[in-house]
Amino acid sequence: MTTVELPAGNPVEAPAETTAAAPGGPVDTDVLRRLLDGRFADVKEQFRADAPDHLFSPSYDLTTAEHRDVTRARLRTLAELGGHDLGFSSRWGGGDSPGGQVAQFEMLGFGDASLMIKSGVQWGLFGGAVQALGTERHHAELLRPLLSLELVGCFGMTESGHGSDVSSIGTTATYDPATREFVVHTPDESCRKDYIGGAAEDADVAVVFAQLVTGGEGRGVHAFVVPLRRDGVDLPGIWRGDDGRKMGLNGVDNGRLAFDHVRVPREALLNRYADVAEDGTYSSPIASANARFFTMLGALVKGRVSVSGGAQSQTKVALEIALRYGAGRRQFKAPGRAEEVTVLDYLAHQRRLLIPLATTYALSFAQDELMGEMDDLLRVQLAGDEPDSARQRAFEAHAAALKVASTWHATRTIQTCREACGGNGFLADSRLPLLKADTDVFTTFEGDNTVLLQLVAKSLLTSYAQQFSDLDTLGMARFATKDFISTYAGRSPAASLVADVVEAGRIPDDLHDRAWQVRMLADRERHVVESLAKRMRKARSKPEAERFAAIDDLQDHLLLAGRAHTDRIVAEAFAAAIARCEDPSVAALLADVCDLHVLALLEAEKGWYLEHRRMTTLRAKAITSAVNALCRKLRPRTEELLAGFGTPRHWLGSRLVG
């Protein structure tokens, strides 16, 4: 019989279940890998070929100081390797490929996450802010040195007392026309910049977000380039502290910054969207202060795309460790068999790991679509123009949705992988504790997930209101009819009859029908958004004193709308990837993976579907049976699906896989 590897590399005979021929025949895993790598497959493949092995050595046994030293050294290796510069203008040594830069960031996620985040701080947040919010004078002075690490910077947005409420940050930058300088000041401890990567030790300069004041009038949040030290010595008025040891990412020197009337020249303002003349006159091409604020933040949304991709890479590592371990670990004897059963042959274990594997594939295809959209929009920005505002807003909501989905999926899946490896998964050299610790904060930075999901829902409400206002009389009549049917099916005491009629008319017997699967997700999203819009209109019609509490009561509904929308767009991205796959064998395998992802999702949400009469109990039971059957069917294809990740074995850095 053939053999499989145990954690220490010792071969044992594999049971028949693990060596049976894969249904549908083997696939070309190179084709699968390139399809999963997506639009920037060449960048990823080049990185696999060129990246030095030492970038991927685990760092679980280092002190904080040692880990920071290692990360600094690796960052310099990365600067020499190149690729980090792809997202910048070719005028200043870049590659005019924002998507290519994020693709390399994703690849760093297969290694030590501290290096990934440290690079993101330097070239994504700090460099990205200079590129996106600055103008020619900033680009000419700063971009080349920050790309080469001659200039190390940080990104000073978050404050101790304001968190996600960026518009209310308390740091001020008051213009003094007598000296033509801005005076940057931290009025109290709640306005201290906190959790700032690079602030504790490495950064020489910061992009600081502060309330601009000129002529005695506040103009809202703007960004300024503020030097922190010269020749290794902090400049007057600069205070910095060290956040110290964290749950994970200890190769990143997170710290705190405060400013005591620090003066910077007028040109320190990153003035793409607003400027202050020598006499203090304020000007902006964007008349609305609110629109100006969100345009500025929208220009920085690449960070959310990056975090989403990095979380997916760390998830892939955890899944590969757990699945390979499960394919070698044996436990309990089955009647009539001499050897113990491989744990991955148990249905419960398959459901634990193969369903997250399917969802990881789904999120990867959704990430690829997001990166393509980002690349198109940011290329316009690199050329000095402004992208279409409606398209930009839609992209921002898309990026928020995927960041939420990818990071929460990472948190859940890595925990499951740890449990699936038992006590061995708790040992540091399995790498799973490190993956768990490093990725946990991904749900918090670049936007708290709960806040971002509400942002997604509010974007849906805006789109819904726009569609509603665009309907003519005939369209209104059709909308009212559709809404009546939806409401009746969901609320009527006699709704079971309606549900049966609706199912008979539009649901095929085959649960694998892709159109039906997507329609089920779209119907849920539509119903949730429509009902939310009605409740929101009612809440906003209340007296001002009651309005805040009334809207606060809708937060659970907002979150449900955001989740329902994200579920649909992820499934549609998977379906689109299958449709463009030209290899029939790969497409057939991916069709099964997509079925597992969507049907497992419908199974998890069956309470909603049953409650709203979108599904009968018989259909719900059939979905569970189909999920089980798909797990059995895909079990022999695990090796091929892992090969699709394209992870060199030594990158895994785990004792559990040899």
Side-chain angles (χ1 to χ4, degrees), residues 389-440:
S389 58
R391 187 179 176 188
Q392 176 71 26
R393 286 193 299 272
F395 164 68
E396 290 166 17
H398 191 184
L402 259 294
K403 188 269 182 182
V404 170
S406 297
T407 56
W408 267 339
H409 176 65
T411 297
R412 290 190 302 266
T413 301
I414 293 171
Q415 173 65 24
T416 297
C417 290
R418 205 293 301 155
E419 293 179 20
C421 293
N424 276 317
F426 194 64
L427 300 178
D429 60 5
S430 74
R431 196 183 167 190
L432 292 169
L434 182 62
L435 291 167
K436 180 177 171 63
D438 283 345
T439 57
D440 199 76

Side-chain angles (χ1 to χ4, degrees), residues 537-555:
R537 281 198 299 271
K538 184 177 179 180
R540 286 174 173 165
S541 68
K542 289 183 177 294
E544 186 174 354
E546 303 173 25
R547 197 174 303 153
F548 181 87
I551 292 175
D552 184 59
D553 284 342
L554 300 181
Q555 287 200 336

Side-chain angles (χ1 to χ4, degrees), residues 43-107:
V43 173
K44 295 178 180 180
E45 199 60 38
Q46 191 67 47
F47 189 81
R48 288 186 184 101
D50 294 346
D53 290 349
H54 70 80
L55 292 184
F56 297 90
S57 302
S59 305
Y60 50 77
D61 57 349
L62 301 178
T63 66
T64 300
E66 290 169 340
H67 199 170
R68 289 179 179 181
D69 286 343
V70 166
T71 304
R72 287 188 195 99
R74 289 176 174 176
L75 190 69
R76 297 205 173 274
T77 298
L78 195 59
E80 295 167 2
L81 181 66
H84 64 288
D85 49 2
L86 287 172
F88 295 85
S89 170
S90 55
R91 290 189 61 199
W92 313 110
D96 296 320
S97 176
Q101 181 188 12
V102 174
Q104 189 195 69
F105 182 91
E106 284 186 14
M107 296 306 291

Side-chain angles (χ1 to χ4, degrees), residues 547-580:
R547 197 174 303 153
F548 181 87
I551 292 175
D552 184 59
D553 284 342
L554 300 181
Q555 287 200 336
D556 61 328
H557 204 149
L558 278 165
L559 295 172
L560 177 59
R563 290 199 310 272
H565 172 72
T566 306
D567 290 342
R568 175 185 60 82
I569 63 174
V570 170
E572 287 182 348
F574 204 154
I578 296 170
R580 67 175 178 265

Side-chain angles (χ1 to χ4, degrees), residues 124-194:
L125 294 177
F126 172 60
V130 172
Q131 174 79 68
L133 303 180
T135 53
E136 180 85 5
R137 69 192 187 206
H138 306 106
H139 299 163
E141 179 183 357
L142 300 174
L143 287 183
R144 289 188 186 277
L146 73 83
L147 287 173
S148 67
L149 291 182
E150 179 184 344
L151 179 69
V152 178
C154 62
F155 183 83
M157 178 181 282
T158 303
E159 293 184 354
S160 301
H162 299 97
S164 298
D165 187 6
V166 177
S167 65
S168 298
I169 60 177
T171 302
T172 57
T174 305
Y175 185 66
D176 180 357
T179 61
R180 299 175 185 174
E181 293 173 317
F182 285 101
V183 182
V184 181
H185 184 62
T186 304
D188 58 60
E189 191 171 291
S190 72
C191 305
R192 177 188 63 192
K193 300 297 180 183
D194 210 347

